[in-house]
C-alpha cells in the first residue's frame, strides 16, 4: 500500500480521501447520509452563484441505478456494481439569467463534487469518480439535451473487502501518491 506524506497540516477528510474500488455490497447508504453529502455539494461556491451542477443519484435496485451501471465501461462496471449508490454529475453550459455561455460551469461542478466527496469521507463513506462511461448512453437514458455537460460517474458506499476485487485491481487498491507542491505551484 502506498503511503502518503503531508508537508502541512490539512483537514483530516482531505488526508483520508481516496478513490477505492472495493465497496461493501451488504451495507446501504442511509437517506440521512445521502442527503448530507448532497447538502455539502449544494453549498459549493460558483460563478455568480449559478450552481450549474446537477446530480442524477440512484440507489441499488432502482431503474436509474441499472441505467448508470449499463453505461459504465466493463472495467468500471465490474467493481462499481458493488456500490450501493451510483451518480452522474452534470452541469448546465449556459447561465440561467441570460443564456450566455458559462465558461466556469465545469470548474463549479468540480468544486461541488469536491465538497461532496469530502463530506462523504467525513461520514465514513467512500467515493470513486469515473470517466469510463458512455456519455451518449447517459444522455439518452436520462433525456439530457446538448445544453448539459455530462461530466463524471460516481460510485459511493462503505469500504468493502479488497480481496473481493480481481487480482489486477487488488494491486491498485491504495491511495495514490501526489506530486510535490513545487510541481503544482508556480510562484514567480
Amino acid at each position: 500500500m502506498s503511503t502518503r506524506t503531508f508537508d502541512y497540516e490539512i483537514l483530516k477528510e482531505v488526508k483520508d480521501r481516496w478513490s477505492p474500488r472495493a465497496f461493501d455490497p451488504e451495507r446501504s447508504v442511509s437517506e440521512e447520509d445521502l442527503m448530507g453529502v448532497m447538502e455539502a455539494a449544494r453549498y459549493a461556491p460558483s460563478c455568480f452563484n449559478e450552481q450549474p451542477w446537477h446530480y442524477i443519484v440512484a440507489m441499488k435496485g432502482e431503474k436509474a441505478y441499472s441505467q448508470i451501471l449499463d453505461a459504465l465501461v466493463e472495467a468500471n462496471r465490474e467493481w462499481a456494481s458493488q456500490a450501493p449508490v451510483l451518480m452522474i454529475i452534470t452541469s448546465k453550459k449556459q447561465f440561467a439569467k441570460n443564456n450566455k455561455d458559462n465558461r466556469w460551469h465545469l470548474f463549479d461542478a468540480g468544486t461541488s463534487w469536491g465538497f461532496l466527496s469530502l463530506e462523504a469521507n467525513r461520514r465514513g463513506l467512500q467515493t470513486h469518480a469515473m470517466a469510463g462511461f458512455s456519455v451518449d448512453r447517459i444522455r439518452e437514458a436520462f433525456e439530457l439535451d446538448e445544453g448539459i455537460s455530462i461530466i463524471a460517474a460516481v460510485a459511493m458506499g462503505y469500504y468493502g473487502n479488497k480481496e473481493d476485487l480481481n487480482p489486477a485491481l487488488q494491486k491498485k487498491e491504495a491511495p495514490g501518491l501526489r506530486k510535490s507542491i513545487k510541481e503544482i505551484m508556480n510562484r514567480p
Side-chain angles (χ1 to χ4, degrees), residues 23-98:
F23 286 94
D24 184 345
E26 303 301 319
R27 206 163 163 204
S28 62
V29 173
S30 72
E31 188 71 13
E32 177 71 20
D33 284 339
L34 178 62
M35 299 316 291
V37 300
M38 294 313 301
E39 183 79 346
R42 179 169 84 104
Y43 271 90
S46 61
C47 180
F48 297 123
N49 198 27
E50 177 73 15
Q51 303 166 51
W53 54 80
H54 183 83
Y55 293 80
I56 300 168
V57 179
M59 305 290 268
K60 192 173 268 194
E62 297 174 348
K63 179 183 177 185
Y65 185 98
S66 295
Q67 291 171 305
I68 295 170
L69 191 63
D70 289 346
L72 299 180
V73 298
E74 182 56 39
N76 286 339
R77 190 178 313 129
E78 176 185 340
W79 58 265
S81 64
Q82 301 305 302
V85 178
L86 292 178
M87 304 179 192
I88 296 293
I89 304 171
T90 70
S91 186
K92 189 170 181 283
K93 296 177 184 180
Q94 286 82 31
F95 287 110
K97 66 180 182 179
N98 59 16

Side-chain angles (χ1 to χ4, degrees), residues 74-148:
E74 182 56 39
N76 286 339
R77 190 178 313 129
E78 176 185 340
W79 58 265
S81 64
Q82 301 305 302
V85 178
L86 292 178
M87 304 179 192
I88 296 293
I89 304 171
T90 70
S91 186
K92 189 170 181 283
K93 296 177 184 180
Q94 286 82 31
F95 287 110
K97 66 180 182 179
N98 59 16
N99 259 359
K100 290 187 177 180
D101 287 346
N102 177 357
R103 67 178 282 248
W104 302 275
H105 75 98
L106 295 171
F107 179 82
D108 293 344
T111 303
S112 175
W113 147 249
F115 277 39
L116 180 152
S117 71
L118 293 176
E119 180 61 24
N121 183 275
R122 190 184 76 77
R123 291 170 178 266
L125 296 163
Q126 300 296 327
T127 54
H128 187 123
M130 299 167 270
F133 66 96
S134 168
V135 169
D136 292 337
R137 288 181 83 170
I138 293 297
R139 191 171 303 286
E140 182 181 330
F142 298 103
E143 300 177 357
L144 302 173
D145 66 45
E146 292 296 326
I148 302 295

Side-chain angles (χ1 to χ4, degrees), residues 148-159:
I148 302 295
S149 283
I150 301 167
I151 304 168
V154 176
M156 183 172 76
Y158 292 95
Y159 192 65

